Amino acid sequence: MSSSVGVLMKPVFRSLDDADVKGKRVLLRVDLNVPMRDGKITDSTRIEEIAPTITELSDKGGKVILLSHLNRPKGPDPKDSLRPVAAEVARIVKRPVAFAEDCVGPKAETAVAAMKNGDILCLENTRFHAGEEKNDKDFARQIASLGDIFVDDAFSAAHREHAANAAIVTVSNMPAYPGRAMAAELEALRKAFETPEHPVAAIVGGAKISTKLDLLGHLLQKVETLIIGGGMANTFLAAQGKAIGKSLCETDLIPNAKEIMAKAKAMNREIVLPVDAVVAQKFAAHAPSRVVSVDAVGESDMILDIGPKSVEHVISVLSRTKTLVWNGPFGAFEMEPFDNGTLAIAEAVAELTGAKKLVSFAGGGDTVAALNAASVRDRLTHVSTAGGAFLESLEGKTLPGVRVLVVSPPSSN
């Protein structure tokens, strides 16, 4: 393949093990774009994931300077300030975190100049400056002037070609390293796609095919079995000529679904679709529902989850699978009772992983939420909190924030 995510063609990255950071100003790109409500953080998962890199650099005597964005401000806006996030970082890493009211210019320069070895400083939201999202070289040079070493631990932002994770490397002579969380993501993707134990299966769910056409096409080259769930499965069922009632369906993409199925058949790949479904007359929590065959969906029915026979079939497929990549739920998992299919399969994946029968990789916002709901997230091999970056990686696309970390050309071996 000619395309890569920066991991698929075995590029070489520097290792933090080899970095001499003592007394150095370490610009650490992190993703502090955490969910907040009324000025308070509602989920600190992303901070917890990058905490080991922060503390390691601090313990080694580096001057740790955190770079991040938050939300999509159109300029400086107090409600999008990283100040409260910096306080949460301090709580999690159990050491002081200073705050600079800008990420470039005199305020940032003064704050960095005051740092001692081991100190941690959080710079203000990079997106307060238009140059960030424009990947502006002059803006990147201003940020780069604050550091001696660049470390990127923000895989979830790596699909964005922005100044603080792309141009900052190309305009400077700073050595660039992946942080520990970034390195773990890259290694997981390599194991999933370049050195997996076969057979490999992929679960692709969610509402729409339109957002995952590239993914489905790419995965057919990588997996033996493609398991399709969620609303997108309805389009495939319709492509088979089945009645789906009032279910979510992208009718204009039925030809695409037919093409994917034909391609799978030609490549001797297995596509797994629901054989039964949980249907209801309305899309609402605890709406009256029943289980029907996918050949018996009524005109006023909406398919909102896979049925028990489908769950059993998917689990039987997984029991003969060695490596699994999972992106997207099987039904409207955020509503009871339409979460049963996703939760049951999540538990089965966790059990197979725990029994060393399956290596499991999962990612994407809805998928992580479903695994949390099933209380199995910690029981899978690797779970990525990244959304767009994880999806684009699975599609085989090059991630700008990964590409700039490569220090040698891909191996031809």
Side-chain angles (χ1 to χ4, degrees):
M1 284 187 57
S2 60
S3 64
S4 81
V5 300
V7 290
L8 298 186
M9 292 181 66
K10 304 177 186 176
V12 176
F13 303 95
R14 292 184 176 91
S15 169
L16 271 189
D17 292 337
D18 303 323
D20 177 13
V21 302
K22 187 173 183 179
K24 305 283 181 62
R25 300 170 301 165
V26 183
L27 286 167
L28 176 58
R29 177 61 167 102
V30 289
D31 189 352
L32 301 179
N33 189 25
V34 292
M36 301 180 72
R37 187 180 297 120
D38 300 326
K40 294 186 178 180
I41 295 161
T42 57
D43 185 347
S44 299
T45 303
R46 280 184 172 166
I47 300 174
E48 290 164 0
E49 287 184 339
I50 50 107
T53 301
I54 296 173
T55 55
E56 177 183 344
L57 294 171
S58 173
D59 288 343
K60 288 180 175 178
K63 299 173 182 179
V64 187
I65 305 162
L66 306 182
L67 282 171
S68 182
H69 69 282
L70 177 64
N71 298 327
R72 298 177 181 273
K74 299 302 181 187
D77 189 332
K79 72 177 175 57
D80 292 322
S81 172
L82 279 171
R83 186 183 287 277
V85 186
E88 179 70 359
V89 174
R91 185 188 70 80
I92 289 173
V93 301
K94 296 181 173 60
R95 58 192 77 186
V97 175
F99 184 74
E101 294 179 356
D102 204 345
C103 61
V104 291
K107 291 179 180 177
E109 292 163 6
T110 299
V112 171
M115 296 180 77
K116 297 181 177 63
N117 292 1
D119 282 357
I120 304 168
L121 169 70
C122 180
L123 301 181
E124 184 56 284
N125 194 339
T126 56
R127 287 189 181 173
F128 281 0
H129 295 264
E132 165 66 338
E133 294 186 75
K134 292 177 181 177
N135 200 33
D136 182 79
K137 290 183 178 180
D138 288 337
F139 177 63
R141 287 189 188 95
Q142 290 182 67
I143 303 175
S145 70
L146 301 172
D148 305 304
I149 294 172
F150 179 70
V151 178
D152 194 339
D153 217 22
F155 177 75
S156 49
H159 59 311
R160 306 291 188 196
E161 194 159 10
H162 290 171
N165 71 320
I168 190 173
V169 179
T170 59
V171 303
S172 71
N173 293 317
M174 284 189 295
Y177 300 80
R180 298 303 186 188
M182 171 75 87
E185 294 276 7
L186 299 179
E187 179 63 12
L189 287 164
R190 188 185 68 79
K191 286 182 178 178
F193 286 115
E194 287 309 306
T195 58
E197 188 174 353
H198 290 269
V200 182
I203 295 173
V204 182
K208 297 181 177 181
I209 294 180
S210 53
T211 58
K212 298 186 178 181
L213 275 174
D214 289 348
L215 173 60
L216 293 170
H218 182 68
L219 286 177
L220 281 178
Q221 304 171 45
K222 293 288 183 179
V223 307
E224 281 82 15
T225 306
L226 190 54
I227 303 166
I228 298 175
M232 61 192 301
N234 301 337
T235 305
F236 280 86
L237 293 174
Q240 291 181 328
K242 299 185 187 300
I244 57 169
K246 294 182 178 178
S247 306
L248 178 68
C249 178
E250 293 175 284
T251 53
D252 57 324
L253 291 180
I254 287 175
N256 300 82
K258 288 181 178 179
E259 184 182 335
I260 289 167
M261 288 189 288
K263 184 178 179 182
K265 186 175 182 180
M267 296 174 70
N268 197 29
R269 304 295 198 246
E270 178 185 17
I271 287 187
V272 175
L273 291 169
V275 294
D276 62 349
V278 179
V279 299
Q281 304 288 306
K282 62 178 181 176
F283 181 49
H286 304 291
S289 61
R290 68 189 199 284
V291 176
V292 299
S293 162
V294 292
D295 295 308
V297 177
E299 286 185 16
S300 59
D301 287 335
M302 284 187 286
I303 299 173
L304 296 175
D305 194 13
I306 57 173
K309 288 183 180 177
S310 298
V311 170
E312 188 177 326
H313 181 47
V314 170
I315 292 173
S316 72
V317 170
L318 295 177
S319 68
R320 55 180 163 83
T321 297
K322 295 297 184 182
T323 304
L324 172 69
V325 178
W326 185 354
N327 177 256
F330 282 89
F333 78 97
E334 67 277 7
M335 288 187 187
E336 295 181 355
F338 311 116
D339 56 347
N340 290 334
T342 301
L343 298 183
I345 290 166
E347 178 59 37
V349 169
E351 287 184 8
L352 288 166
T353 304
K356 309 285 190 210
K357 296 178 179 178
L358 183 69
V359 178
S360 52
F361 304 96
D366 285 345
T367 313
V368 174
L371 296 175
N372 284 337
S375 300
V376 300
R377 178 177 165 181
D378 294 339
R379 295 165 58 195
L380 271 63
T381 307
H382 181 82
V383 177
S384 174
T385 57
F390 183 76
L391 192 58
E392 289 190 21
S393 295
L394 298 190
E395 291 170 359
K397 293 180 179 177
T398 301
L399 303 188
V402 172
R403 184 177 59 237
V404 296
L405 301 177
V406 178
V407 292
S408 67
S411 167
S412 58
N413 297 329

